[in-house]
């Protein structure tokens, strides 16, 4: 199977597929009104189950024409 969304790296950053370890981060950002203003594709999240569902949806990229990337700063692993 070809990975349709391979991990990408620069000198400072890693762009990677979301994992279940990202659920809390996804919830914090997708429920924040200041951040949500710029996300036009969904309603703001109101609970962690929604964040888990979003991550689960993107775990399998097969047949999807888009993805949500996790961006990690190499120096801090954040």
């Amino acid at each position: 199977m070809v990975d349709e969304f391979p991990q990408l790296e620069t000198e400072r950053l890693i762009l990677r597929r979301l994992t279940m370890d990202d659920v809390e981060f996804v919830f914090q950002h997708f429920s924040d009104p200041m951040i949500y203003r710029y996300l036009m594709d969904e309603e703001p999240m109101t609970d962690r189950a929604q964040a888990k569902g979003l991550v689960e949806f993107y775990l399998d990229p097969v047949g999807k024409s888009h993805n949500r990337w996790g961006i990690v700063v190499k120096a801090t692993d954040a």
Side-chain angles (χ1 to χ4, degrees), residues 13-51:
L13 303 172
I14 299 171
L15 278 69
R16 60 164 176 73
R17 184 179 308 178
L18 293 176
T19 71
M20 294 308 290
D21 291 337
D22 297 315
V23 169
E24 184 62 28
F25 180 86
V26 168
F27 176 68
Q28 287 176 8
H29 283 76
F30 281 65
S31 63
D32 183 313
M34 292 299 290
I35 293 172
Y36 179 75
R37 290 177 56 182
Y38 305 100
L39 302 174
M40 305 296 234
D41 57 346
E42 299 284 337
E43 291 296 315
M45 291 184 177
T46 57
D47 63 54
R48 283 168 184 78
Q50 292 170 303

